[in-house]
Amino acid sequence: MIKRLHVIAAATGFVTILAFWLSTVLAVLLGSHHQIADTRQAVVWGLFVLVPALGIAGLTGSATAGSATNPGIVAKKRRMLFIAGIGLLVLVPAALYLDGLASRGEFGTLFYTVQAVELAAGAINLALMSFNIRDGRRLASATSSVEVHRTDRSIRT
C-alpha cells in the first residue's frame, strides 16, 4: 500500500510540475499579460496539490527505503534532497513572487529574470525527478524479479 501511495504521489508531483512548466512557457511565449497573470495565479493555487504530493512522495519513499544501502536507493535519496531544496528555496518563492508581480502588471526585466530562473530550476527538478522515476522502476523490477525467484524455489522444494 505504501509503495502504491508513493508512486501515485510522485507521479502527481511530476505531472503537476510539468504542467506548471509547460503552461508557463506557453503563456510567456504566446499569451498576453493577462494570460500570464492568470497562469501565475493558477500555479500558486496548484501548490496546494504539489506540496502535499511531494511531501507524501518523500515520506513514503523514506518509509519504503528505510536504511537501505542499495546504490539506486541512495541515489534517489540524494536527488530527493536537491529536489526538495530547489522546490522550497527557489520554486515556491519564485511562484509567489511572480504571481505578485503579474497581478500588479509588472512585467519588466525583474519579472522575466525571475521567470527564467524559475523555469531553469523547474527543468532541473523535472530531470532529477525523471531519474528518480527511472531508478524506482528499475528497483521495482529487480524486487519483483527476486520475489519471482523466491516463489519459484518454494514451489520446487
Side-chain angles (χ1 to χ4, degrees):
M1 179 64 179
I2 288 179
K3 287 181 184 181
R4 180 169 287 169
L5 181 58
H6 177 71
V7 169
I8 291 168
T12 300
F14 180 83
V15 169
T16 303
I17 292 174
L18 182 60
F20 289 175
W21 200 91
L22 289 173
S23 62
T24 297
V25 169
L26 290 173
V28 168
L29 293 178
L30 304 174
S32 65
H33 285 162
H34 180 72
Q35 290 167 322
I36 294 170
D38 286 347
T39 301
R40 297 307 327 162
Q41 187 174 43
V43 168
V44 169
W45 282 105
L47 292 174
F48 289 103
V49 172
L50 178 63
V51 172
L54 293 181
I56 291 167
L59 290 172
T60 55
S62 291
T64 302
S67 60
T69 58
N70 177 300
I73 293 172
V74 171
K76 282 183 62 136
K77 284 181 175 182
R78 188 176 315 122
R79 280 192 294 265
M80 202 58 220
L81 292 174
F82 283 103
I83 292 166
I86 291 168
L88 292 173
L89 299 174
V90 179
L91 294 176
V92 171
L96 297 171
Y97 186 67
L98 289 167
D99 180 49
L101 290 176
S103 69
R104 294 188 302 273
E106 297 177 19
F107 294 100
T109 304
L110 180 60
F111 178 88
Y112 289 106
T113 300
V114 174
Q115 185 68 83
V117 169
E118 183 194 46
L119 287 171
I124 290 167
N125 261 11
L126 286 169
L128 293 172
M129 291 173 81
S130 294
F131 298 148
N132 273 4
I133 291 167
R134 178 203 62 201
D135 287 351
R137 291 178 61 119
R138 286 180 182 164
L139 290 164
S141 176
T143 301
S144 64
S145 174
V146 169
E147 289 171 3
V148 167
H149 292 305
R150 286 184 186 152
T151 305
D152 289 346
R153 284 189 195 131
S154 64
I155 292 172
R156 288 185 203 148
T157 36

